[in-house]
Amino acid sequence: MTAPTPTATEALTPAGTQAPDTGPAAPRPGRRAALLLLLPVAAVVLFALIGPWLAPHDPARITAAPYDTGHLLLGSDGDGRDVWSRFLAGGRPLVLIPLLATAVTTLLGTATGVLAGYAGGRVDAVVSRLDTLLLALPPVLVLLVLMHGWGYRTLTLVTAVAVTGVPFVSRVARAATAQVVHAGYVDQAVALGDGPVAVMAREIVPNIVRPVLADAGTRLAIAITLTASAGFLGFGPDSPNWGAMISENMEGVTLAPWGVAAPALGLAVLTVSVNLALDRAIARYVP
């Protein structure tokens, strides 16, 4: 039997204690206001996804002289390719791959963290030591090692993000689990004969969603950065990538600055807007 899901304050308060009185809760924005706040990020993500279909030229075709700023909207790069077309085509991998990597990282980290927090003892000790070991690995170094061994693949990027991100999610989930593991509704489920998997899935996970999703915003921003870094370092196919565009056009930045400025601005807007939108969505819709 599943007890009613407690509020966030109740979920993070140890059993048998009373949460401190913090006064009236701050009013949440209305549904219409929340949707308006999410429109910018929806526009950025949609722009990145459909950008390849909007490109006026073939991103790989030479359309002008190198670093020509007089005939194209954002000029051309060092090979004479249209920067605007390459910019439109280069955002899609920075949305799809990080989203997949963040989903995998959050699922694995939540599973290990909840298991460690619920089981305790040796399981908790083993998971904590593994997390400490993985936390010592620099994300870019892990990315370089995997790229040299496996090449540029979606699996490579997802693995790099997961290896470096799972320990952070695991620690967040473990700490949140420790706050609710002795709650009355958990003890009631155990007393009624629910197994460990059922207790963790039905009683614990729904009550730690907020901190886990809040951390997912950070994981997503890091996944976007690592995906762009792979392109900047020269890994990946010849298809456009905002990270690769920055690297390709650095030599001619004084002649055609938009070759560097456009992808850099796109990366900044995408990373910040996605993170802020997730925080706002959590504050509005997650109990």
Side-chain angles (χ1 to χ4, degrees), residues 36-130:
L36 290 176
L37 291 175
L38 296 178
L39 282 179
V41 67
V44 171
V45 172
L46 181 63
F47 177 81
L49 291 177
I50 68 174
W53 299 326
L54 303 177
H57 301 97
D58 182 353
R61 185 167 61 89
I62 297 176
T63 57
Y67 302 124
D68 183 358
T69 58
H71 300 87
L72 299 171
L73 180 62
L74 298 183
S76 62
D77 62 9
D79 294 327
R81 298 169 297 187
D82 181 18
V83 169
W84 175 240
S85 297
R86 291 181 66 79
F87 174 75
L88 289 174
R92 182 182 292 176
L94 296 176
V95 173
L96 298 179
I97 295 177
L99 282 175
L100 175 61
T102 301
V104 172
T105 301
T106 301
L107 289 174
L108 291 177
T110 301
T112 57
V114 171
L115 177 62
Y118 181 78
R122 293 184 177 179
V123 174
D124 187 16
V126 170
V127 172
S128 297
R129 285 180 173 81
L130 287 176

Side-chain angles (χ1 to χ4, degrees), residues 114-216:
V114 171
L115 177 62
Y118 181 78
R122 293 184 177 179
V123 174
D124 187 16
V126 170
V127 172
S128 297
R129 285 180 173 81
L130 287 176
D131 287 345
T132 302
L133 176 63
L134 294 177
L135 285 171
L137 300 176
V140 176
L141 178 60
V142 173
L143 177 66
L144 288 173
V145 171
L146 293 178
M147 285 291 177
H148 279 291
W150 296 353
Y152 185 95
R153 303 177 185 176
T154 300
L155 176 62
T156 306
L157 291 168
V158 171
T159 303
V161 173
V163 168
T164 57
V166 163
F168 289 97
V169 182
S170 178
R171 288 196 168 192
V172 171
R174 179 188 174 280
T177 299
Q179 297 294 323
V180 302
V181 69
H182 297 299
Y185 53 87
V186 175
D187 294 337
Q188 181 182 15
V190 174
L192 291 174
D194 289 349
V197 175
V199 172
M200 289 186 285
R202 298 175 185 173
E203 310 296 342
I204 295 179
V205 171
N207 290 287
I208 64 170
V209 168
R210 179 183 282 264
V212 169
L213 288 183
D215 182 75

